[in-house]
């Protein structure tokens, strides 16, 4: 079992607990959209169009507020549920 919030003073490895909250409304809305629609077209261009900014501006905002580029954030958001819920072999 992998906890979303680890007990004690252990490092928090989950994207959902490690990502700082975005201060920009457009970035917050995109984070919500990414979490609820992981199978959509989440390319940087598509996300920028949804936010009403250029892809370059979105990359800057994402890096400033989330600590990673949009593509990297999307990749982590898509793989986090599988990593969290995949059965692990105990050997």
């Amino acid at each position: 079992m992998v906890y979303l919030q680890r007990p004690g003073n252990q490092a928090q490895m989950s994207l959902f607990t490690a990502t700082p909250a975005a201060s920009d409304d457009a970035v917050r809305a995109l984070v919500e959209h990414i979490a609820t629609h992981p199978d959509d077209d989440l390319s940087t261009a598509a996300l920028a169009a949804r936010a009403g900014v250029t892809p370059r501006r979105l990359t800057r905002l994402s890096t400033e507020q989330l600590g990673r580029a949009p593509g990297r954030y999307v990749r982590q958001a898509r793989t986090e549920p599988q990593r969290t819920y995949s059965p692990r072999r105990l050997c």
Side-chain angles (χ1 to χ4, degrees), residues 8-86:
N9 62 354
Q10 297 178 10
Q12 303 301 316
M13 302 302 286
S14 173
L15 170 73
F16 303 109
T17 58
T19 302
S23 60
D24 186 82
D25 290 337
V27 175
R28 259 197 318 271
L30 288 178
V31 167
E32 177 68 25
H33 179 73
I34 292 166
T36 57
H37 300 92
D39 295 327
D40 285 3
D41 177 10
L42 300 176
S43 64
T44 300
L47 292 172
R50 183 175 186 82
V53 297
T54 65
R56 183 177 174 122
R57 178 74 178 138
L58 178 61
T59 299
R60 287 180 181 158
L61 286 170
S62 178
T63 303
E64 283 175 9
Q65 297 185 25
L66 302 176
R68 58 189 64 85
R72 180 168 287 184
Y73 184 83
V74 167
R75 185 172 41 251
Q76 288 178 316
R78 284 178 169 163
T79 58
E80 179 77 15
Q82 287 81 20
R83 188 175 66 84
T84 302
Y85 297 112
S86 66

